[in-house]
Amino acid sequence: MAMGSELESHDTRIIRAVNKVRALQAWNKTQLNWLDRFEKQLLAETVLQVEDLNEDPFKDAGGFQRLNKVFDNKLTEVINTLNDQLYIQSA
């Protein structure tokens, strides 16, 4: 972090990143529920990658292939945006 910048906890960064993704478009209820689950996973594991979606706790829901359909085949973009937003310094 730059000198003089206020340090942000990792949890705060996760919440901010997920909120940024929520604000990108008008998500449907199912998509918002998944964004909540992604946030919960990030708070527990600190990182979420596309490959993780084929593992617990997501594989029982159909893994990446099914979730990608839920997100109109843009799940990779959603996950990448979440991860990018984690390390952008808040203003």
Side-chain angles (χ1 to χ4, degrees):
M1 293 272 76
M3 297 276 291
S5 297
E6 188 174 322
L7 293 178
E8 252 184 335
S9 74
H10 193 68
D11 288 1
T12 299
R13 287 181 175 279
I14 290 166
I15 292 165
R16 181 177 41 80
V18 174
N19 285 338
K20 292 261 188 179
V21 171
R22 283 185 186 116
L24 290 176
Q25 70 180 55
W27 303 103
N28 66 42
K29 185 175 174 69
T30 301
Q31 292 167 326
L32 287 170
N33 287 337
W34 279 107
L35 290 175
D36 290 342
R37 287 186 70 182
F38 296 159
E39 179 179 60
K40 184 178 177 182
Q41 183 68 16
L42 282 165
L43 289 167
E45 299 294 330
T46 69
V47 69
L48 182 63
Q49 298 177 1
V50 170
E51 299 82 24
D52 296 334
L53 300 176
N54 289 318
E55 304 294 332
D56 288 330
F58 303 107
K59 73 178 179 181
D60 290 343
F64 176 81
Q65 188 172 359
R66 181 177 174 282
L67 294 175
N68 193 38
K69 289 179 184 175
V70 168
F71 282 90
D72 302 320
N73 296 315
K74 295 180 182 174
L75 185 53
T76 300
E77 292 173 44
V78 169
I79 298 299
N80 288 340
T81 300
L82 269 174
N83 289 322
D84 289 346
Q85 290 296 318
L86 280 174
Y87 298 102
I88 291 177
Q89 189 174 354
S90 65

